[in-house]
Amino acid sequence: MEPQRAPREGIHLNALIQRLEAHPLFEGLEHPLLEHIGRHSFEVHLAPGDVLYSSGTTADRIYVLLSGALQIEYPRRRQSRGPVIGIFASPNFLGESQVLSGVPWSG
């Protein structure tokens, strides 16, 4: 799923900054840095059953889960869905180790 760039000015940016401030990952960051992150981020909305990433694809983003939850599955070969091995509930983040190490997504 390709992220869509959301408007990042005025009330939209302020609302995102407030959500980032409430996330443990960004705790204690100064407002100018949060504003920079907000202006350069993408917002992704997923419906139940949507796939955020697939095993083996290049990890080029870090995802910050602001609300809801993600189900992590390990699909069998040639299948798009598989057994649930974990759930990430907000507030959370994922993809940092894959991005920093250059390792493709697993699970």
Side-chain angles (χ1 to χ4, degrees):
M1 161 164 277
E2 278 302 308
Q4 308 249 332
R5 188 168 290 278
R8 295 291 184 231
E9 297 179 4
I11 194 162
H12 298 288
L13 179 59
N14 290 335
L16 177 60
I17 290 171
Q18 287 177 343
R19 293 180 79 191
L20 292 174
E21 286 174 328
H23 196 286
L25 179 63
F26 302 104
E27 187 176 0
L29 292 183
E30 299 289 328
H31 187 84
L33 185 53
L34 289 170
E35 186 173 331
H36 178 80
I37 292 168
R39 287 187 187 281
H40 294 89
S41 64
F42 294 92
E43 196 165 337
V44 178
H45 297 269
L46 300 173
D50 283 353
V51 175
L52 179 63
Y53 66 85
S54 296
S55 181
T57 58
T58 302
D60 60 354
R61 296 179 178 96
I62 296 171
Y63 293 96
V64 177
L65 188 56
L66 296 174
S67 64
L70 292 173
Q71 182 171 286
I72 309 299
E73 300 178 8
Y74 273 106
R76 291 174 176 74
R77 187 172 251 203
R78 295 188 192 101
Q79 293 184 350
S80 61
R81 305 299 298 258
V84 175
I85 58 101
I87 295 178
F88 280 94
S90 67
N92 214 326
F93 57 96
L94 64 150
E96 74 289 349
S97 59
Q98 290 85 354
V99 169
L100 295 173
S101 67
V103 175
W105 288 107
S106 59

